[in-house]
Amino acid sequence: MTASSLVPASLASDQPTTKLRLKDILKTLPKECFQKNKRKAWATALITLLMVGLGYLSLAVAPWFLLPIAWIFTGTALTGCFVVAHDCGHRSFAKRRWVNDWVGHLFMLPLIYPFHSWRIHHNYHHTHTNKMDEDNAWQPLRPEIYGDLGKLAQKAYQATRGWFWWAASIVHWAALHFDPTNFQPKDRPKIKLSVGVVLGFAAIAFPILLATTGPWGFVKFWLLPWLVFHFWMSTFTLVHHTAPEVDFQEPDEWDAVKAQLSGTIHCEYPAWIEFLCHHINVHVPHHLSTAIPSYNLRMAHRSLQQNWGSYLHETRFSWSLMQRITDECHLYHAQNGYQSFREFHALEENRP
């Protein structure tokens, strides 16, 4: 993997203005981008099931020294389950809502992820992308808020914005998705349903797995692939919305076009990851319209490159990219942009 920036890092002079509306951009996309295709949707689901099955087969037969490869493959294939459910959550998988709900719940079962809880939180993120104090996906803390935290809370935040970024998805999953009081009263019946579904599945599947394979089997067949899934969830979502040149906007200055077109990042991963995860990292068109199914994202992105290329942020996944993000993008100052922990604490030490 190599670091590669496909467009200039700074696009400040080319940023959209408030005169540009989302519908102006969407009109330039081919109409085919928005069309659901039953065959493609179910083929995506079938490919995911086959790849997950292949992954678990590899875990069953692989010698010990090949298990890390099998864990990575299986966990990445499980991320494909999440992508199928992701389309269901946006109602872009099937035309009927009940089909989306059923498929979404089923594909999130092995991940122990409550479907409606995630769907509601995620849709809120789409409505408030890169809006300070509102966005719920990798929103950086303001320096003054971070400064008011206790030492333990600061250390925890430092970890999830630094080299323990891969664990942030687990924290997000556990803290936000199982408590109905995190949601509006009108949504709580659906939240309780989704939580009950995954907890019921875990109550049946986990004892069976432990009884038939023992504690090591539980770690081997579920825990480690699940951790790989969360590694990709943390990595994908962090890279989607974090770069020194991508800004978060104050609520009274927030502009939907700037947030969705220039505030989200297209990142290319190795082909096997893109295949297993159904090109979910083609992220900009998805933020312009959640009605675009995953199998049409590349078509939409090619159109955006042709018509709106100067507004796009594009990159390739690499460890140097992750190092840049985890070294620089910690806190966010309304006027000065991102500030690292090192810069914050140096200023505090020199403050009279």
Side-chain angles (χ1 to χ4, degrees):
M1 301 175 189
T2 58
S4 175
S5 179
L6 304 180
V7 295
S10 177
L11 298 173
S13 62
D14 291 322
Q15 293 299 310
T17 68
T18 53
K19 296 180 181 178
L20 188 61
R21 300 166 298 178
L22 284 178
K23 66 179 182 180
D24 297 325
I25 301 169
L26 294 176
K27 286 179 181 178
T28 69
L29 297 178
K31 293 182 179 179
E32 293 82 1
C33 294
F34 303 94
Q35 293 176 357
K36 298 182 180 72
N37 185 305
K38 185 184 297 185
R39 180 182 60 81
K40 289 182 180 180
W42 287 104
T44 298
L46 180 59
I47 289 170
T48 291
L49 293 177
L50 289 173
M51 292 300 102
V52 170
L54 179 61
Y56 281 118
L57 177 62
S58 70
L59 290 174
V61 302
W64 66 268
F65 56 86
L66 291 180
L67 281 176
I69 296 175
W71 284 323
I72 292 170
F73 179 88
T74 307
T76 309
L78 285 170
T79 309
C81 285
F82 189 91
V83 176
V84 173
H86 176 270
D87 272 14
C88 293
H90 288 305
R91 313 307 189 193
S92 60
F93 180 85
K95 293 181 180 180
R96 292 181 174 84
R97 178 167 294 189
W98 69 267
V99 175
N100 287 306
D101 286 350
W102 272 92
V103 174
H105 276 92
L106 288 172
F107 273 74
M108 281 195 170
L109 279 181
L111 310 174
I112 317 299
Y113 225 121
F115 173 71
H116 283 308
S117 303
W118 166 81
R119 179 181 63 81
I120 293 168
H121 270 304
H122 185 65
N123 284 332
Y124 190 86
H125 156 65
H126 273 272
T127 306
H128 302 281
T129 303
N130 288 22
K131 184 188 293 185
M132 286 298 291
D133 307 323
E134 290 288 346
D135 195 357
N136 57 21
W138 289 104
Q139 180 190 158
L141 288 181
R142 298 177 186 269
E144 59 271 23
I145 295 177
Y146 171 79
D148 288 338
L149 296 177
K151 293 296 183 182
L152 184 61
Q154 285 188 352
K155 291 294 184 183
Y157 181 72
Q158 288 172 18
T160 56
R161 298 297 300 204
W163 281 104
F164 286 90
W165 89 87
W166 50 268
S169 175
I170 301 174
V171 176
H172 187 267
W173 163 80
L176 296 180
H177 294 87
F178 291 88
D179 184 357
T181 62
N182 288 332
F183 302 85
Q184 295 183 13
K186 66 181 179 65
D187 294 320
R188 289 174 188 172
K190 290 183 177 179
I191 305 306
K192 293 176 181 177
L193 170 66
S194 292
V195 171
V197 167
V198 295
L199 292 183
F201 174 81
I204 296 171
F206 287 176
I208 292 175
L209 185 60
L210 285 166
T212 55
T213 65
W216 170 238
F218 178 81
V219 172
K220 175 182 175 181
F221 289 105
W222 184 78
L223 181 60
L224 287 172
W226 183 78
L227 290 176
V228 172
F229 154 70
H230 276 289
F231 169 87
W232 287 126
M233 285 295 295
S234 294
T235 302
F236 290 169
T237 54
L238 176 62
V239 173
H240 283 164
H241 298 287
T242 312
E245 61 272 14
V246 172
D247 65 339
F248 275 71
Q249 302 166 49
E250 292 298 304
D252 58 348
E253 299 173 354
W254 186 80
D255 175 67
V257 172
K258 185 177 181 182
Q260 310 294 14
L261 182 61
S262 295
T264 54
I265 297 169
H266 172 89
C267 184
E268 287 287 343
Y269 288 76
W272 68 274
I273 297 174
E274 297 285 0
F275 171 74
L276 290 175
C277 298
H278 309 300
H279 304 281
I280 194 60
N281 293 295
V282 184
H283 199 61
V284 180
H286 170 62
H287 260 270
L288 292 172
S289 174
T290 58
I292 302 174
S294 59
Y295 46 80
N296 288 336
L297 289 174
R298 287 206 176 271
M299 180 199 306
H301 188 73
R302 286 192 294 269
S303 175
L304 291 175
Q305 287 176 316
Q306 294 171 4
N307 296 299
W308 307 96
S310 63
Y311 298 128
L312 302 179
H313 289 281
E314 300 181 294
T315 190
R316 291 189 183 276
F317 177 73
S318 67
W319 293 113
S320 60
L321 171 67
M322 298 310 300
Q323 183 173 11
R324 183 185 184 214
I325 291 173
T326 55
D327 282 353
E328 299 179 30
C329 301
H330 300 153
L331 308 170
Y332 198 85
H333 190 280
Q335 284 75 42
N336 302 325
Y338 276 106
Q339 181 183 50
S340 70
F341 295 127
R342 182 167 55 273
E343 292 168 335
F344 173 86
H345 288 291
L347 288 173
E348 288 298 300
E349 289 175 3
N350 295 327
R351 193 182 300 277

